[in-house]
Amino acid sequence: MVIVMKPGAPESAVAEVSEHLEALGYILHVSRGVGRTLIGAVGLPEIDKAATADSLRGHDWVEDVVLISKPYKFVSREYQAHDSVVDVAGLPVGGPGVVVMAGPCTVESEEQVDDVARQVAAAGATVLRGGAYKPSTSPYSFHGLGEPGLRILRGAADRHGLRVVTEVMDVRRVDEVARFADILQIGTRNMQNYDLLREVGQARKPVMLKRGMSAKYEEWLLAAEYIATQGNAQILLCERGIRTFETATRNTLDLNAVPMVKSLSHLPVVVDPSHGTGRRDLVAPMSLAAVAAGADALIVEVHPDPDHAVKDGQQSQTPGQFAAMMVLIARVAEAVGRRLLRPEPR
Ligand code: PEP
Ligand code: MN
């Protein structure tokens, strides 16, 4: 059950409601958002909750009490019926528009990133992607340029009118990455790093939470709930492919996730067909399918010279392939009643 306090409710009213609930045996999670406090109360059977909810609805400072049957609360559709729109430095993700994020897997050099940023912006991307801190299955792989990589991304994005999405892997680096990024990416390997989820939940930046490669929808949404309980509701869910018995593709891109997760949650859904397939030739068809299925955004790897990329070259499109795909994405978006959001003219 979530108790929504009225805007401006004084601490004394929050304490009064909290003490009442605690006395009844509930475990509370108070989240103080901008202008509004929410009290999540869990622990008693549904039948008792209904009676408690009725009694709280009469309180002067309680705006609403929402009964939620799912284990995740704030991110559930039951909690909020309308679609969330996440504000990425003025760019709406989750509204009628479709957003495309593109760029290299890894920041290699200023020249490489600037070249890609210029070309993906010209083709209609609005967010630049690229890893400065890279998770790797092997300890012998390249782990990214670190802070200089963040500077390179920010500079190129600013020159070409793009926002920045980049991964943060370490609780100690959230502030540093947030200084350069517009979206903090949590990678598949960190979906259940609960300390990191709490830490980005404290940040005042949108978070893109990639689905763990073996995570069920419920586990993914509970991971999002960790972020939300810290007061950060600016969350994007990213389907990036899961482990299945199929080995012909790097992962199996689960497009069921788009309509299914959107029915369970109000959060926008992003699809990553690059990691989802691991093959450059499959990225365009699966991108089109994702938009047709209702994805709010795509994140795609693009490299000026994929065959010599430091990481993930096999799944990176050339700028030319990306531009050709964008023409089709705009058409599919229109066919399903949406529109590709393009960079604002500069
Ligand atoms: C990436 O976006 O480059 C990445 C490492 O993704 P994932 O966490 O989905 O493997
Ligand atoms: Mn990659």
Side-chain angles (χ1 to χ4, degrees):
M1 160 168 77
V2 175
I3 295 90
V4 184
M5 302 299 288
K6 287 185 180 160
E11 269 309 309
S12 58
V14 176
E16 195 186 315
V17 171
S18 301
E19 281 158 23
H20 174 62
L21 288 163
E22 273 167 349
L24 289 170
Y26 288 92
I27 296 164
L28 300 191
H29 201 287
V30 181
S31 130
R32 291 175 172 81
V34 189
R36 200 189 284 273
T37 298
L38 304 171
I39 305 173
V42 289
L44 288 190
E46 290 311 311
I47 183 158
D48 299 325
K49 282 186 186 149
T52 310
D54 281 344
S55 71
L56 287 172
R57 282 195 182 102
H59 192 286
D60 285 349
W61 285 105
V62 171
E63 184 161 281
D64 200 7
V65 181
V66 192
L67 289 172
I68 296 169
S69 57
K70 295 283 191 302
Y72 43 86
K73 309 289 175 191
F74 296 129
V75 305
S76 74
R77 209 29 112 176
E78 287 170 90
Y79 174 64
Q80 183 186 301
H82 64 271
D83 290 340
S84 277
V85 178
V86 171
D87 177 351
V88 178
L91 178 74
V93 184
V98 172
V99 164
V100 178
M101 314 179 192
C105 177
T106 305
V107 174
E108 296 168 21
S109 68
E110 174 135 35
E111 192 188 19
Q112 169 230 20
V113 175
D114 193 79
D115 188 12
V116 165
R118 178 178 48 78
Q119 299 200 65
V120 299
T126 36
V127 182
L128 178 63
R129 68 145 288 149
Y133 291 104
K134 293 300 300 178
S136 275
T137 302
S138 165
Y140 305 114
S141 304
F142 180 60
H143 286 92
L145 292 180
E147 185 169 329
L150 296 173
R151 287 182 195 284
I152 289 173
L153 275 173
R154 186 75 259 169
D158 289 347
R159 278 192 296 283
H160 301 289
L162 299 166
R163 278 75 173 172
V164 169
V165 58
T166 194
E167 178 160 354
V168 58
M169 292 170 55
D170 186 328
V171 288
R172 294 164 297 188
R173 297 208 183 267
V174 171
D175 288 345
E176 177 197 316
V177 176
R179 256 184 278 126
F180 297 95
D182 299 303
I183 304 173
L184 303 171
Q185 171 175 332
I186 302 294
T188 191
R189 294 163 187 78
N190 272 320
M191 190 206 81
Q192 287 177 314
N193 180 339
Y194 298 118
D195 286 339
L196 183 59
L197 297 177
R198 283 203 194 86
E199 200 68 25
V200 296
Q202 304 268 335
R204 292 290 164 264
K205 280 281 161 86
V207 175
M208 184 174 79
L209 178 64
K210 288 193 144 194
R211 179 182 180 185
M213 58 185 88
S214 312
K216 298 199 277 185
Y217 299 148
E218 187 169 293
E219 292 164 328
W220 187 14
L221 290 168
L222 281 167
E225 186 81 5
Y226 268 87
I227 301 170
T229 54
Q230 299 302 304
N232 189 354
Q234 300 275 93
I235 306 167
L236 306 170
L237 296 167
C238 178
E239 162 60 37
R240 50 77 71 200
I242 51 171
R243 283 273 168 90
T244 67
F245 53 79
E246 184 55 73
T247 53
T249 49
R250 180 175 177 181
N251 289 294
T252 296
L253 185 67
D254 175 19
L255 287 185
N256 292 355
V258 179
M260 184 70 195
V261 167
K262 285 179 79 78
S263 78
L264 298 171
S265 172
H266 52 84
L267 297 176
V269 176
V270 183
V271 170
D272 174 348
S274 308
H275 295 87
T277 63
R279 286 177 57 121
R280 189 184 303 161
D281 58 329
L282 302 187
V283 169
M286 295 316 284
S287 296
L288 300 179
V291 173
D296 299 294
L298 297 170
I299 180 162
V300 180
E301 287 184 342
V302 180
H303 194 284
D305 182 8
D307 293 334
H308 296 98
V310 167
K311 248 177 152 52
D312 287 353
Q314 74 292 345
Q315 67 194 35
S316 299
Q317 291 182 318
T318 63
Q321 288 170 324
F322 177 75
M325 176 180 83
M326 288 295 272
V327 174
L328 302 177
I329 285 175
R331 285 196 213 148
V332 172
E334 255 178 55
V336 294
R338 303 186 74 171
R339 141 184 96 79
L340 176 65
L341 289 185
R342 294 173 189 282
E344 280 132 39
R346 290 150 50 77

